[in-house]
Amino acid sequence: MDRNSVKNSIKIFLMLIPSLTILLSVYLYPFILAILISVVDSSGRLTLEHYSYVFTVYAQDVVFTIAVCALSALVSLLISISIASYIRLSLDEGFRKILNWIFRFPLFIPMVVVAQMMRTFLAPHGFLNTLLAQIGFIELQEAPNLFDWRGLLIGFVWKQTPFMALIILSGFAMVSDVHIDAARVLGAGRLYIVRRILLPMARGSIAIAFALTFASNIGTFTLPYMIIGGAKPTTMTVIMAHRVTYFGDWSIANALGVISYAVVGLFSIAYLREAVRAGVYERERV
Amino acid sequence: MSVSLDGVTKRFGSFVAVNNVSFDVDRGEIFTLLGPSGCGKTTVLKIIAGLFRPNGGRVYIDGRDVTDLPPERRDTGMVFQSYALWPHMTVYENIAFGLRLRRLPEDEIRRRVREALELVKLEGFESRYPIQLSGGQQQRVALARALVINPKVLLLDEPLSNLDAKLREELRYDIRELIKKLGITAIYVTHDQTEAFVLSDRIAVMDRGRIVQIGRPYDIYENPRSRYVASFIGSNILIDGVLKGVRDGYGVVRIGSRTEILGVLNSTDPTSLIGKQVTVVIKPEAIEIRKGATGLENLFSCTISRATYMGGTVEHRAQCGEFEVKFYTPSDSRIEEGSIVELHISPRRTIVIAE
Amino acid sequence: MRGRGYRIQHTVTAALKITVLLVLASWVFAPFVSVVLWSVARKWYWPSLLPQELGLDYWYEALGLRRGYALTAAVGIIDALKTSIVIALIVTVITELISLPTAYALAKWRIPLKPLLVFLFLMPQAFPLQPVYVNLLLIFYRLGLAGAVPGVVIAHIIPCLVYAVWINAATFKSIPPDYEESARVHGAGPLTTFFRITLPLSAPGLIASSVFVFLYSFDEFTGTFFIGLPNVVTLPMLLYSASGYNMQFASAVAITLLIPSIIFMVVLERFLKSEYIAKIG
Ligand SMILES: Nc1ncnc2c1ncn2[C@@H]1O[C@H](COP(=O)(O)OP(=O)(O)OP(=O)(O)O)[C@@H](O)[C@H]1O
Ligand SMILES: [Mg+2]
């Protein structure tokens, strides 16, 4: 090996060492620790008892978490596709600008504030129910308590939609105008263009947006903790916190953690594959 | 009349991209918009297709005012400069797109796609994706996609500009033949004059958003009516001078202090132009070498200043006293630089334009 | 002459546009309005849509300008705000310093095992962070970092570092190598080139990432919850503990939490192009 390349390697190493040290020691080590702790019992032997405990006691919550997070991501997806399509295809500059400004607002609101907003907004006699009662939609005496999956869904969708819409919008922006014009000349209306041109051509961005949002929902602690708390069913993150803070029980908490890793990992792989496959068309665009 | 534009204007902000453009295209005619880059050709096409709404003027297709109709209700076919094939669809799906929108039964779609592919000589390419095709093949798919819906008008935006020279020459004839066979009305956009001459029934020359001359290819070439058209078409030499008088039906133009050139004066009242600034347009092919001739009009003694081999022909530049010309000879008749020749510039084919 | 059909169609599209804007605006702003109203409501009994009596009482109490009767929180907004700002500033400085060399190397050099490195730097974004915090708490107990500001700082640095590396790498990548090369050709050393050419050119991107990191740390909940409580009370922690018993006070804290976001929103607006987000994602 010549001296130059040795020198180069040292240089690269020195540049990377500060961030690598941090990530390896306080991120990757506890990350792996989660897996280790989840598979040993109190006497240090390998065991799957924590997982079987989770699946007997918390099965409902695991399913609940995945279902609500996926449903929220799906609803966000539908709304953000509508917003992005409107912005991409509208010919009215002013309308586009206002829309572009409004939909971003939640992007800047931290999750913990979102949670507090939702607590005031969705409370039995909160703003939403009062509003609905004014229109005559519901009776305030028997106002529904929304602090369950519905509250979680509304909170997630409210917070995540703009981020998703931005990613999809950047995917739509990569579809050149002529591809849209060609469809319009042949007789395609907006909806048809969205369905046959924009969505398939931007499906890489859409897959990424969906995977990221789902993963972020699964990992979110704040919102379910403040909206659902200990009520049943609740999310894996909330149970994890309860196991640690109330029982000092790291084993079950980490088993839940590893399950959430697995869910996110499997999901991301499936969706990122789709994104890579969609990348085949990118060559044409450049 | 198949397509008419009446005083169409399009502004982008304060910039006027298309300025008061009017023309009529007959049924089955191939009408070409010819002009340099940025003169507004694509914009005119997009206005006809409905992709842009003009700021003023009306557009008629088959006698119907379509100015306010969106593109999807106009029944035009358009071939884009970059083809704009959808990369995620096969050739078949690309071509079938317009037919599906028209809700035709599946077997009719299949039949018409097959016919369209035959027409552009691409049978057997149904299941390929656009990236698996060469430029020329993509261009033909784009053509098939536009033709398969039997449009009232076919709009073609520089469909050959992205192809290499050889293929371009070949496809010119193919496209003309195809359009004529189908009897379709076509508006063709190009900045390549040879292409325009080969393809068109009529040509409209554009300059900065305006149409400056409309005519058959022959008229445009032989009788440019403005300095701009004369300089844009062919490889004419333009020389400024002053009209001195009229002799034998030709205008006599004084150049510099002592030189006079004769040329055809396109004016109903030539005498009114005497004393005015004019431009003499000299076509290279109107120049002949005459050895030992005398008593001819427009005969000049010139020095060859440069002879450049162009492959097959030699371009000569010659200094003729107070003006310079260029002309071409076959490559075996090259004249050495520095030699003196007698050049005759045919007055019949020389044009005098009053601005 | 524009036809009648055209006019009707025009009216319909205009109505549709206004409807879309109104629906979106109410969806986006209603929860915000709700929390603002709560923070200034003195009396608000259902079924009234708006509070019967408005007042800034809870703001006065929250800001420590008046002793509260309903307020029992040990920590006021001002103390929590101070803690939050101090932590966010420390996190921002450390994160930027650590991320710069890595971002530069990732953007400009060929690095062996790069895919592995990229994966490592994507993990904290892709996988839930909570299990990491849970185990970090276990480790920090032993090190005496649990319930202490340095522990919280470390917890915040993990996700922040990842964002900073990606944003800064994208920034460095966007600087055409010509500038640096021509500086090198004119005799500048690598360090001079970096400080005189690369750094000033990438200032907007670096500022954007600093703002991003600051806001992230300022708003961070999960890491502080596990590592910091009960001793380190940042604004989000205060908000959480208040929302259990005093809606008005919690709402006032929530709005206080928004102030830096709103200030920076204006600043960041220029930098926060969708390409950035796409690159982070
Ligand atoms: N959407 C638009 N917004 C603003 N300006 C435009 C737009 N489209 C075209 N222009 C401007 O209008 C002028 C005419 O453009 P157009 O595309 O019609 O030119 P063209 O003749 O087709 O040129 P080319 O041969 O290069 O394709 C140009 O100066 C262009 O910059
Ligand atoms: Mg053009």
Side-chain angles (χ1 to χ4, degrees), chain B residues 18-303:
Chain B
V18 172
N19 195 347
N20 195 15
V21 162
S22 305
F23 57 76
D24 301 311
V25 183
D26 289 329
R27 194 180 298 279
E29 190 182 18
I30 304 182
F31 186 84
T32 295
L33 297 168
L34 175 65
S37 185
C39 71
K41 307 180 296 284
T42 301
T43 309
V44 172
L45 271 202
K46 285 187 170 178
I47 288 170
I48 299 171
L51 295 168
F52 283 148
R53 184 187 287 275
N55 299 93
R58 312 304 295 169
V59 180
Y60 303 88
I61 294 179
D62 274 353
R64 176 157 160 253
D65 185 342
V66 297
T67 318
D68 296 325
L69 286 185
E72 61 264 27
R73 307 236 312 263
R74 291 195 182 190
D75 244 352
T76 54
M78 185 156 175
V79 177
F80 291 82
Q81 201 163 351
S82 55
Y83 316 139
L85 297 180
W86 299 296
H88 60 289
M89 294 184 201
T90 59
V91 168
Y92 182 90
E93 284 303 323
N94 263 284
I95 298 175
F97 190 90
L99 300 175
R100 289 200 195 290
L101 271 162
R102 284 160 182 72
R103 301 188 186 290
L104 298 182
E106 193 61 39
D107 49 338
E108 182 170 358
I109 292 179
R110 217 171 305 129
R111 182 178 58 77
R112 282 173 68 170
V113 172
R114 185 163 19 85
E115 281 170 10
L117 279 170
E118 264 166 38
L119 214 54
V120 297
K121 305 195 182 71
L122 274 180
E123 299 100 326
F125 283 73
E126 284 86 349
S127 54
R128 298 245 194 131
Y129 281 93
I131 47 166
Q132 299 168 319
L133 300 177
S134 72
Q137 290 165 341
Q138 288 184 34
Q139 191 274 330
R140 272 138 69 194
V141 174
L143 194 59
R145 182 177 70 180
L147 285 173
V148 77
I149 57 165
N150 292 332
K152 292 197 183 114
V153 197
L154 179 64
L155 307 169
L156 301 115
D157 189 1
E158 311 204 18
L160 302 179
S161 64
N162 285 335
L163 304 174
D164 59 62
K166 184 124 185 159
L167 197 57
R168 202 153 60 210
E169 252 168 58
E170 231 175 85
L171 284 176
R172 275 174 204 158
Y173 300 103
D174 291 356
I175 288 187
R176 180 173 169 89
E177 203 177 303
L178 185 62
I179 295 173
K180 284 299 169 191
K181 190 162 94 187
L182 298 172
I184 219 167
T185 308
I187 301 180
Y188 191 98
V189 158
T190 183
H191 62 253
D192 179 335
Q193 38 173 310
T194 325
E195 204 171 294
F197 289 138
V198 171
L199 258 157
S200 325
D201 295 324
R202 277 192 304 150
I203 295 172
V205 182
M206 288 188 71
D207 174 26
R208 281 166 295 171
R210 291 173 186 278
I211 288 185
V212 287
Q213 189 171 347
I214 298 183
R216 292 176 302 134
Y218 182 86
D219 298 330
I220 298 278
Y221 189 84
E222 298 298 332
N223 280 315
R225 284 213 298 272
S226 62
R227 213 190 136 90
Y228 171 81
V229 177
S231 68
F232 183 68
I233 300 288
S235 45
N236 299 330
I237 298 273
L238 271 56
I239 301 165
D240 293 327
V242 177
L243 190 68
K244 278 289 149 195
V246 181
R247 190 197 309 159
D248 304 342
Y250 294 117
V252 181
V253 180
R254 159 69 60 83
I255 292 161
S257 55
R258 54 200 144 76
T259 314
E260 283 187 350
I261 300 182
L262 272 61
V264 177
L265 191 53
N266 269 330
S267 173
T268 44
D269 183 14
T271 44
S272 69
L273 293 170
I274 292 174
K276 297 253 164 64
Q277 281 285 334
V278 291
T279 303
V280 181
V281 180
I282 300 176
K283 298 190 164 65
E285 65 273 17
I287 298 175
E288 272 179 306
I289 305 160
R290 286 290 182 92
K291 282 202 190 88
T294 47
L296 274 172
E297 300 280 13
N298 279 6
L299 192 63
F300 300 96
S301 171
C302 309
T303 314

Side-chain angles (χ1 to χ4, degrees), chain A residues 127-140, chain C residues 47-50:
Chain A
F127 203 55
L128 179 64
N129 280 337
T130 321
L131 214 63
L132 290 179
Q134 293 270 325
I135 311 170
F137 235 66
I138 54 165
E139 281 297 327
L140 214 46
Chain C
S48 164
L49 183 61
L50 297 174

Side-chain angles (χ1 to χ4, degrees), chain A residues 82-84 86-90 92-108 162-163 165-167 169-170 173, chain C residues 20-21 24-25 28-29 265 269 272-274:
Chain A
S82 319
I83 293 174
Y86 246 119
I87 293 177
R88 181 70 183 85
L89 295 182
S90 174
D92 181 341
E93 182 106 13
F95 172 71
R96 229 170 22 211
K97 268 195 185 132
I98 300 175
L99 198 60
N100 222 327
W101 185 82
I102 292 180
F103 90 85
R104 282 168 201 239
F105 178 72
L107 208 57
F108 301 94
F163 177 71
L166 275 183
I167 298 180
L169 207 53
S170 78
Chain C
V20 166
L21 287 183
L24 191 71
V28 160
F29 295 119
M265 179 160 68
E269 177 70 358
L272 204 80
K273 300 177 193 126
S274 37

Side-chain angles (χ1 to χ4, degrees), chain A residues 8-9 11-12 14-20 22-31 33-35 37 79 83 86 90 92 95 98-99 101-113 116-123 125-127 130-131 133-134 140-141 147 153-155 157-158 161 163 166-167 169-170 190 208 212 215-216 218-222 225-226 236-238 240-241 244-245 250 253-254 256-258 260-262 264-265 268, chain C residues 13 16-18 20-21 24-35 37-38 44 46-50 94 97-102 104-106 109-112 117 120-121 123-142 154 157-158 161-162 165 215 219 221-222 225-226 236-237 239-240 243-248 250-251 253-255 257-258 261-262 264-265 268-269 272-275 277-278 280-281:
Chain A
N8 236 342
S9 308
K11 200 169 70 176
I12 291 173
L14 285 178
M15 298 283 270
L16 295 180
I17 200 89
S19 58
L20 273 184
I22 298 261
L23 272 195
L24 293 180
S25 63
V26 296
Y27 178 73
L28 200 61
Y29 171 55
F31 186 96
L33 207 56
I35 301 170
I37 292 177
I79 299 177
I83 293 174
Y86 246 119
S90 174
D92 181 341
F95 172 71
I98 300 175
L99 198 60
W101 185 82
I102 292 180
F103 90 85
R104 282 168 201 239
F105 178 72
L107 208 57
F108 301 94
I109 313 290
M111 199 50 121
V112 59
V113 176
Q116 174 61 21
M117 281 181 179
M118 291 304 154
R119 277 180 64 90
T120 67
F121 186 60
L122 303 176
H125 298 152
F127 203 55
T130 321
L131 214 63
Q134 293 270 325
L140 214 46
Q141 273 84 3
F147 292 142
L153 178 92
I154 294 174
V157 171
W158 192 85
T161 301
F163 177 71
L166 275 183
I167 298 180
L169 207 53
S170 78
R190 293 233 185 114
I208 288 175
L212 282 176
S216 156
I218 288 277
T220 298
F221 168 58
T222 329
Y225 194 60
M226 283 175 67
M236 291 195 275
T237 46
V238 173
M240 232 183 288
V244 169
T245 49
W250 264 260
N254 277 315
L256 279 163
V258 173
S260 71
Y261 287 163
V264 166
S268 308
Chain C
T13 23
L16 189 69
K17 279 177 198 166
I18 291 172
V20 166
L21 287 183
L24 191 71
S26 11
W27 162 251
V28 160
F29 295 119
F32 180 68
V33 171
S34 157
V35 84
L37 284 179
W38 267 103
W44 192 356
W46 63 281
S48 164
L49 183 61
L50 297 174
I94 298 181
L97 285 180
I98 296 175
S99 74
L100 282 184
T102 305
Y104 189 84
L106 277 175
W109 295 345
R110 301 176 63 100
I111 295 173
L117 210 65
L120 179 65
F121 277 96
M123 273 178 75
Q125 266 175 271
F127 292 99
L129 266 175
Q130 195 183 345
V132 168
Y133 288 139
V134 164
N135 293 308
L136 212 52
L137 175 62
L138 205 58
I139 300 166
F140 281 0
Y141 269 143
R142 271 179 257 136
I154 293 175
I157 285 178
I158 299 169
L161 181 60
V162 173
V165 164
L215 287 181
D219 300 333
F221 185 89
T222 312
F225 179 88
F226 285 101
M237 293 304 111
L239 168 53
Y240 162 70
S243 84
Y245 62 90
N246 190 328
M247 216 45 148
Q248 283 96 327
S251 299
V253 181
I255 291 167
L257 257 171
L258 286 185
S261 308
I262 288 168
F264 285 131
M265 179 160 68
L268 211 63
E269 177 70 358
L272 204 80
K273 300 177 193 126
S274 37
E275 307 100 76
I277 303 254
I280 301 165

